[in-house]
Amino acid sequence: MSIFLGLGAMGSALAGAVRPAVVWNRDPRRARPFSEHAAVAGTVEKAIIADGPIIVCLFDHHSVHQVLDPVAADLTGRTVINLTTTTPDESRELAAWADGHGIAFLDGAILAVPEMIGKPGAAIFYSGSESVFTEHRDLLDRWGESTFFGADAGLASLYDMAMLTGMYTMFAGFMHGAAMLAAEGVPATEFAQRQAPFLAAMTGGLLEYAATIDSGDYAGPGQQSLRFTDAALSALLRATTGQGVSTEVLRPVHDLVRRQIDAGHGDLGTARIFEELRSTR
Ligand code: NDP
């Protein structure tokens, strides 16, 4: 039996892929669709009476504590799998909290939208207790491809947040381009149909950048220099301003490049941006 705490959009997708299950949600109306194929518990206390792993998918770190703190004493010896999005430090805090109560804890980060759960393309990253990951692998694999990153409970979240940073900045870049074309009456849908395959093709360059970063050799052959990128970004900024569009997405990227040129690195490869970004550590 698996126990699900939280039946929002994601919690419902996770619970919907598992039988048998006990489900609980703060607002009981969200549990109604489960009444035929799951045991609906009216309280957290009643939900956790059942044996089996407790899968938590709530809004945020704070809500996880709000739900679990009052029943902490009853969770000793149990297994909690947290699929709520939390930052790495929040995941580590939850792991330490669980450890303090004798709870086996696995943290998960979902790289999928609810509609993808249980279908190809869904991935969930895990870290924390490896024995929980191994013991419940069949359950985890029902939701998507499961990958374990290590005993540090913050690692799954860290990978997730690194992945999402790429996604959100890409989306912002798309909005920027759509705004440039909108000034000429081009619908965003038309732009998206051209932008999507172009971006997909460009992601092939990530591995080349990665090889450069890992080698630390920004002077090697075949790299696009910071000076070249500066010229390209300057043109993009002029075109952006010409279309009456805000430069607030693009300008920080240009500033990064400019700072490195000003520091004397203009002939090095553009991947050197990595060094500038991590230098704030
Ligand atoms: P929803 O907003 O649909 O659901 C939030 C859930 O949290 C509801 O069950 C809500 O209960 C519950 N909740 C919020 N605050 C409290 C509280 N203080 N006490 C008890 N229950 C609380 O969000 P999702 O289901 O979409 O997301 C859940 C988690 O999954 C989030 O951390 C999200 O980042 C993550 N996730 C979601 C993805 C998505 O595409 N949706 C993708 C990847 C991760 P109630 O119904 O009573 O309000």
Side-chain angles (χ1 to χ4, degrees):
M1 185 76 83
S2 302
I3 300 156
F4 290 86
L5 304 181
L7 297 171
M10 186 54 86
S12 291
L14 298 170
V18 176
R19 309 270 193 283
V22 176
V23 298
W24 170 85
N25 195 66
R26 180 180 61 179
D27 179 345
R29 285 173 298 182
R30 280 182 131 155
R32 277 184 203 151
F34 288 86
S35 56
E36 283 183 13
H37 52 81
V40 176
T43 63
V44 177
E45 289 81 355
K46 285 183 183 158
I48 63 170
I49 289 171
D51 284 335
I54 298 160
I55 296 101
V56 182
C57 188
L58 297 164
F59 186 65
D60 60 5
H61 177 249
H62 178 67
S63 48
V64 174
H65 270 301
Q66 280 203 316
V67 168
L68 295 186
D69 282 356
V71 295
D74 299 324
L75 294 175
T76 301
R78 302 292 300 272
T79 292
V80 169
I81 300 172
N82 176 48
L83 293 172
T84 309
T85 301
T86 46
T87 66
D89 282 347
E90 288 167 352
S91 299
R92 291 178 185 119
E93 189 280 331
L94 283 170
W97 173 89
D99 193 44
H101 289 91
I103 301 163
F105 181 81
L106 183 67
D107 198 73
I110 303 171
L111 286 99
V113 293
E115 298 73 35
M116 290 166 67
I117 294 299
K119 300 195 182 123
I124 307 189
F125 294 168
Y126 295 96
S127 57
S129 166
E130 187 164 12
S131 56
V132 171
F133 180 77
T134 308
E135 185 185 339
H136 297 287
R137 189 67 195 266
D138 288 348
L139 168 69
L140 308 182
D141 286 349
R142 277 186 233 176
W143 299 319
E145 187 186 337
S146 317
T147 309
F148 183 74
F149 284 95
D152 172 357
L155 276 178
S157 164
L158 182 58
Y159 270 91
D160 181 40
M161 305 247 139
M163 304 272 279
L164 292 176
T165 299
M167 185 190 80
Y168 278 111
T169 48
M170 180 188 75
F171 284 161
F174 165 72
M175 309 297 172
H176 178 126
M180 289 174 78
L181 283 166
E184 307 306 327
V186 178
T189 310
E190 191 211 308
F191 176 52
Q193 282 160 357
R194 299 179 193 283
Q195 175 87 102
F198 177 70
L199 287 178
M202 287 299 103
T203 57
L206 292 182
L207 283 175
E208 283 174 39
Y209 277 137
T212 302
I213 290 165
D214 289 342
S215 73
D217 178 12
Y218 301 102
Q223 298 186 40
Q224 180 173 306
S225 72
L226 283 157
R227 228 181 281 289
F228 182 97
T229 303
D230 173 41
L233 289 172
S234 296
L236 296 185
L237 282 167
R238 290 197 302 280
T240 299
T241 308
Q243 292 301 102
V245 167
S246 165
T247 59
E248 63 191 316
V249 167
L250 201 53
R251 185 161 296 287
V253 184
H254 187 236
D255 289 347
L256 266 173
V257 170
R258 280 298 330 163
R259 274 201 299 278
Q260 295 192 67
I261 293 173
D262 292 346
H265 304 304
D267 293 330
L268 297 182
T270 296
R272 199 187 179 284
I273 288 173
F274 168 82
E275 302 294 340
E276 166 90 10
L277 289 172
R278 78 166 179 174
S279 68
T280 58
R281 284 204 300 182

